[in-house]
Amino acid sequence: MRNDFLLTPIEYLKGVGPQRGEALRKELGIFNFQHLLTFYPYRYVDRTKFHKVAEINEELSFVQLCGYITRTELLGEKRSKRLVAHFRDSSGTIELIWFQGIKWLEGKFRGDVEYVVFGKPNEFKGRYSIPHPEVDIVNEDSIKLQSSMQAMYNSTESLKHRGLDSKGVLKLQENLHALINKNIPEILSEEIIQSNHFISREEASKQIHFPHSANLLKAAETRLKFDELFFIQLRLLRQKSHHKTVTHSFVFSKVGEYFNKFYKECLPFELTNAQKRVIKEIRTDVASGKQMNRLVQGDVGSGKTIVALMSMLLAIDNGFQACLMAPTEILAGQHYDGLAKMVEPLGIKIALLTGSVKGKARKQILSELEDGTMHIVIGTHALIEDTVKFKNIGFVVIDEQHRFGVEQRSRLHKKNHIPPHVLIMTATPIPRTLAMTLYGDLDTSVIDELPPGRKPVKTMHMTDDKRLRMFGFIREQIKLGRQVYVVYPLIKESEKLDLKNLEEGFESLEREFPLPDFKISIVHGKQKSDRKDFEMQRFVKGETHIMVATTVIEVGVNVPNASIMVIENAERFGLSQLHQLRGRVGRGADQSYCILMSSHKLSRESKIRMETMCRTNDGFEISEVDMKLRGPGDIEGTQQSGILDLKIADLVKDQQLLMMARDIAQRVVDEDQNLDLPKNLPMKNFLIQRSIAKTDWSKVA
Ligand code: ADP
Ligand code: MG
């Protein structure tokens, strides 16, 4: 087994050299043989099929013809200069057109030989032509080519200039595959290969680029997708198992005074069964002596905060400090206000620490954290800073995790001599397969039940021409004593325009809802934070009726009396964002409404989003639709993780394979966490090899 073969720099491959090597590195990130081998085709064309010229229609994305070139001519001047070859088979004629490489092609075609032409037909005014087709003389070679499915590769303009279009890349794959013979090590155990009837890694690597049949292609895809998913799961599950068996943390052995008193005397409501279950899961974790890493998923409004609070009380009962980190100042502030009120009767010291807490106040908090008089601190990123030192932090809560990176998580771990327990709460549910991949190293709890008495929010979709009706509806509701949010999208690239939108919207609302009967607050990201707070507070206290805002209100804001959410330009929001926004209402006893305003013309995708929102309030269901629409890579929070850099597997389409990979990885870890058994050696070698390859790669890059 020669592992280093795959790490050979790409320029040493026949047909590459320094210049093309540079281009491949820059354009496609292909540094070595391994990278080229895993540069998979995006599709295949069936070159076993031949078409007739007369059959060509717009449904055929590629055609393969066999016939004669009757004559060629040069047309046009300068930039529109082109070579046109007239091609004929028994059914008719078609033009083949080249705008580039004319000099080289001119005079090359002969009238007396048969050609195979392959390309993408183009329709113009009812007539077809084929721009830049592949043309081969019919001989044994071209017949060999035609007897299999041909791989198509993505390329770039700059690569095409160097002769590396799809066909050029295919040629490189050919050169690489000529060297492969027994150079591709097996990376799964024989046991896994046998019991799942997988083809070998080497065979799969060949078939994916040069499939002999549709069946073998399928087998190759399955094998390579499995490998990709399996090693992610293996890594995550080994990490998880490592936490459980190796990483010690503090033992919260007792349920003490604070927890009990709070439960008996301060809890403003009965916990739902789901909340009770999750608190129990956490209690078991923190009593175990191993570090807890638990993710709590729950829909908006399912009551994650109280679960976090009670867990923190448990920490304090056992002599530790706790902190809660939120992604924005507003949210941290809200958490602080709510929690401080709830724990007041307990005599617990709790503080808010954000970027805007400065000077003396900040010093005071920092010193109380360090000497241990402060029990709980709530804050933003500011908590991670090195200046924040704890006497004895034992429990960390991270709210709305997807906005924090893994790196930030690990900095919190370092705030005590052994890592504290970590509880992560997601803002919105994410699909199961995504959670399994993104948070696969964590234990998961789900709060799958809303507090009783909630009336599901009624959602309607209205086009802009129904605006007057919408205003009428709002007016009625305000007269009934309710409050209203009107939200505008904010997209970074066009902030100015968005702000203008918001301000115009504000003005038209002021005309529609004039003083003194109606009062309006406005909040957006460009305001100073005291201004923002002031406007926010007016609305929270019920002094204003309407809150006009950008998505700054998206997370966490809690105003139970607000029962209407109007979302302007709803088509510009993603599903999870719409769902988050809708979660701001429906928190009180009254029937709540969400009105999605959009223009009349909607893309297919926007339509599905609107329909989904009107159909269901279930965050998990919505997240599944969202992932199907946008792909897992676009789901908020996945980009920075890098974990979804999948080359061939697809978390939407390959869910079953993912489950299978996870099961098998779990079995491996259960039996042999360190991969010490001889049968698991190929897997161990691969992991070692890969970590070497990664460091090598970063040296070059
Ligand atoms: P989220 O899960 O979105 O963070 P919160 O923790 O903010 O939800 O809770 C939403 C609202 O529901 C809060 O006003 C909270 O006080 C209330 N709440 C939480 N749990 C219950 C419960 N068991 N019964 C009644 N109300 C509850
Ligand atoms: Mg919350």
Side-chain angles (χ1 to χ4, degrees):
M1 191 159 54
R2 288 185 45 219
N3 281 340
D4 51 348
F5 164 77
L6 288 174
L7 299 182
T8 313
I10 195 66
E11 58 260 47
Y12 297 131
L13 182 68
K14 185 177 152 206
V16 181
Q19 279 183 7
R20 281 180 160 187
E22 180 61 34
L24 284 168
R25 277 195 292 273
K26 226 167 97 187
E27 299 286 312
L28 301 176
I30 296 176
F31 284 69
N32 57 34
F33 288 6
Q34 168 74 34
H35 295 144
L36 181 62
L37 198 64
T38 54
F39 184 63
Y40 297 122
Y42 71 92
R43 61 172 288 175
Y44 300 84
V45 288
D46 185 356
R47 303 247 357 213
T48 56
K49 266 204 194 87
F50 279 87
H51 302 94
K52 290 280 177 211
V53 169
E55 284 170 1
I56 295 176
N57 63 57
E58 54 209 41
E59 252 131 66
L60 295 170
S61 48
F62 286 90
V63 294
Q64 180 163 249
L65 309 167
C66 189
Y68 294 89
I69 289 175
T70 49
R71 70 191 162 88
T72 58
E73 58 187 329
L74 269 177
L75 297 175
E77 300 263 333
K78 287 192 181 138
R79 305 200 82 212
S80 67
K81 192 166 166 184
R82 59 196 187 273
L83 177 71
V84 175
H86 297 265
F87 179 89
R88 174 177 62 76
D89 68 8
S90 57
S91 73
T93 63
I94 189 167
E95 290 179 0
L96 315 178
I97 303 176
W98 286 269
F99 295 93
Q100 279 156 16
I102 295 174
K103 254 208 197 110
W104 189 74
L105 284 165
E106 211 186 341
K108 236 190 136 200
F109 299 120
R110 291 157 46 185
D112 58 346
V113 295
E114 211 174 354
Y115 289 99
V116 176
V117 169
F118 177 78
K120 198 178 164 62
N122 191 13
E123 195 236 65
F124 183 68
K125 290 189 179 160
R127 281 189 54 182
Y128 287 95
S129 63
I130 306 180
H132 289 261
E134 288 175 24
V135 180
D136 295 296
I137 295 177
V138 176
N139 60 22
E140 266 177 37
D141 245 16
S142 56
I143 285 171
K144 197 178 78 204
L145 193 67
Q146 294 143 24
S147 67
S148 62
M149 277 175 289
Q150 190 180 314
M152 304 288 289
Y153 299 88
N154 282 316
S155 182
T156 65
E157 275 315 305
S158 133
L159 283 170
K160 281 178 192 158
H161 275 300
R162 297 199 150 77
L164 293 178
D165 55 2
S166 173
K167 203 179 174 193
V169 174
L170 185 66
K171 184 72 198 151
L172 296 186
Q173 297 286 8
E174 249 173 63
N175 296 347
L176 178 59
H177 279 75
L179 306 172
I180 270 179
N181 196 20
K182 301 242 171 358
N183 269 316
I184 298 191
E186 189 45 71
I187 60 178
L188 291 178
S189 70
E190 202 47 42
E191 186 181 302
I192 295 177
I193 296 175
Q194 296 287 339
S195 57
N196 294 288
H197 310 289
F198 287 141
I199 60 174
S200 74
R201 174 100 179 155
E202 177 153 322
E203 183 63 16
S205 304
K206 281 184 190 161
Q207 293 295 334
I208 200 76
H209 296 287
F210 303 98
H212 280 141
S213 68
N215 280 342
L216 273 166
L217 175 59
K218 185 96 193 93
E221 279 175 350
T222 305
R223 171 65 213 262
L224 296 172
K225 285 176 174 184
F226 178 85
D227 286 5
E228 205 169 24
L229 298 169
F230 173 77
F231 280 98
I232 292 175
Q233 292 304 324
L234 189 64
R235 184 171 61 72
L236 292 167
L237 290 170
R238 284 180 72 203
Q239 237 161 39
K240 183 169 165 183
S241 150
H242 187 80
H243 275 307
K244 283 210 164 64
T245 54
V246 181
T247 314
H248 293 274
S249 188
F250 311 108
V251 181
F252 298 175
S253 54
K254 62 173 184 198
V255 178
E257 195 58 14
Y258 287 128
F259 186 97
N260 283 327
K261 184 160 188 229
F262 180 81
Y263 189 74
K264 286 195 200 110
E265 294 170 23
C266 315
L267 195 60
F269 37 66
E270 173 83 7
L271 293 176
T272 64
N273 286 327
Q275 286 170 320
K276 284 183 192 159
R277 191 185 64 234
V278 175
I279 291 174
K280 210 165 175 187
E281 285 166 348
I282 294 169
R283 269 173 55 180
T284 310
D285 285 353
V286 295
S288 73
K290 304 296 177 218
Q291 190 208 7
M292 178 182 83
N293 276 283
R294 186 170 281 281
L295 173 77
V296 174
Q297 280 212 69
D299 214 339
V300 208
S302 61
K304 295 184 284 288
T305 319
I306 204 82
V307 171
L309 174 64
M310 294 184 68
S311 313
M312 291 196 283
L313 293 180
L314 216 52
I316 300 166
D317 271 339
N318 287 275
F320 294 93
Q321 293 166 294
C323 77
L324 188 159
M325 187 159 82
T328 64
E329 290 211 5
I330 291 184
L331 191 55
Q334 280 238 334
H335 272 314
Y336 173 75
D337 293 344
L339 296 183
K341 218 184 286 156
M342 277 199 264
V343 300
E344 207 186 331
L346 299 176
I348 278 179
K349 276 207 79 152
I350 180 168
L352 175 68
L353 187 68
T354 63
S356 37
V357 179
K358 294 208 172 82
K360 244 176 129 180
R362 186 179 194 85
K363 263 210 184 113
Q364 170 89 14
I365 293 173
L366 290 181
S367 87
E368 285 177 341
L369 284 172
E370 205 165 349
D371 69 21
T373 42
M374 185 65 72
H375 296 111
I376 298 179
V377 62
I378 294 176
T380 52
H381 293 80
L383 292 178
I384 304 179
E385 284 166 21
D386 292 333
T387 51
V388 182
K389 295 196 180 76
F390 294 87
K391 173 140 189 259
N392 197 15
I393 179 109
F395 198 90
V396 169
V397 182
I398 306 179
D399 196 11
E400 328 288 1
Q401 145 77 15
H402 62 281
R403 286 155 198 248
F404 292 108
V406 175
E407 205 256 335
Q408 290 165 317
R409 245 204 270 167
S410 77
R411 281 181 67 179
L412 277 167
H413 283 194
K414 298 196 182 100
K415 294 274 178 190
N416 205 341
H417 63 286
I418 49 179
H421 298 292
V422 178
L423 180 72
I424 291 163
M425 306 192 286
T426 56
T428 46
I430 55 174
R432 206 156 94 87
T433 51
L434 191 60
M436 212 175 260
T437 309
L438 273 179
Y439 304 112
D441 56 334
L442 309 178
D443 289 304
T444 350
S445 296
V446 182
I447 305 185
D448 48 7
E449 184 186 355
L450 291 181
R454 295 269 171 86
K455 294 197 184 82
V457 179
K458 283 189 181 150
T459 304
M460 314 171 248
H461 175 213
M462 285 187 182
T463 45
D464 288 332
D465 48 324
K466 306 263 165 49
R467 188 164 294 276
L468 286 179
R469 251 181 65 194
M470 186 265 283
F471 285 149
F473 180 70
I474 292 184
R475 196 170 289 115
E476 269 169 40
Q477 292 286 316
I478 293 176
K479 282 192 183 135
L480 290 170
R482 318 270 186 271
Q483 288 167 286
V484 183
Y485 293 106
V486 181
V487 177
Y488 287 82
L490 183 70
I491 294 171
K492 275 241 159 56
E493 300 89 74
S494 58
E495 243 171 272
K496 260 200 193 130
L497 212 82
D498 285 330
L499 202 59
K500 192 166 154 261
N501 247 338
L502 176 85
E503 275 160 0
E504 280 172 10
F506 178 65
E507 280 160 24
S508 88
L509 280 166
E510 274 186 320
R511 280 194 299 276
E512 207 57 47
F513 299 91
L515 290 163
D517 290 350
F518 300 98
K519 299 198 184 69
I520 309 179
S521 290
I522 179 166
V523 170
H524 56 79
K526 282 264 138 61
Q527 283 166 330
K528 289 246 163 57
S529 73
D530 46 352
R531 175 81 211 166
K532 222 185 287 179
D533 278 350
F534 172 75
E535 293 279 338
M536 212 63 152
Q537 284 310 322
R538 287 209 304 158
F539 188 68
V540 172
K541 288 186 197 140
E543 292 166 12
T544 54
H545 304 100
I546 301 177
M547 156 76 82
V548 181
T550 53
T551 39
V552 285
I553 67 146
E554 182 190 340
V555 268
V557 179
N558 196 8
V559 183
N561 190 51
S563 64
I564 298 175
M565 169 65 65
V566 178
I567 304 176
E568 293 285 351
N569 299 113
E571 72 272 23
R572 282 174 57 188
F573 290 93
L575 262 179
S576 76
Q577 226 180 351
L578 289 172
H579 181 62
Q580 271 281 309
L581 287 169
R582 180 168 60 184
R584 299 306 106 211
V585 296
R587 301 192 154 213
D590 308 309
Q591 175 63 55
S592 293
Y593 301 89
C594 174
I595 304 174
L596 307 170
M597 300 299 298
S598 83
S599 69
H600 205 69
K601 264 178 89 173
L602 288 179
S603 69
R604 190 191 73 92
E605 211 189 292
S606 305
K607 259 187 213 141
I608 296 176
R609 286 202 295 259
M610 301 301 125
E611 283 162 15
T612 307
M613 286 297 293
C614 293
R615 185 187 72 233
T616 177
N617 279 303
D618 178 343
F620 283 97
E621 188 179 338
I622 289 172
S623 75
E624 295 285 348
V625 178
D626 198 23
M627 185 160 93
K628 282 196 185 110
L629 283 181
R630 299 200 290 173
D634 279 331
I635 302 264
E636 212 178 330
T638 60
Q639 292 91 339
Q640 75 268 33
S641 78
I643 211 166
L644 296 178
D645 265 341
L646 298 173
K647 289 191 182 329
I648 188 162
D650 179 321
L651 289 186
V652 177
K653 294 188 192 121
D654 302 320
Q655 300 200 355
Q656 246 177 324
L657 207 55
L658 170 61
M659 303 292 188
M660 183 174 133
R662 179 140 175 123
D663 280 351
I664 294 171
Q666 184 70 63
R667 256 179 276 153
V668 171
V669 172
D670 287 346
E671 186 187 34
D672 179 23
Q673 183 188 283
N674 293 323
L675 306 177
D676 289 330
L677 293 177
K679 67 173 178 184
N680 289 331
L681 195 65
M683 272 124 59
K684 188 167 198 162
N685 279 339
F686 175 68
L687 291 177
I688 294 168
Q689 183 70 26
R690 194 169 59 175
S691 63
I692 296 172
K694 269 209 182 106
T695 35
D696 271 5
W697 194 82
S698 62
K699 260 185 242 153
V700 189

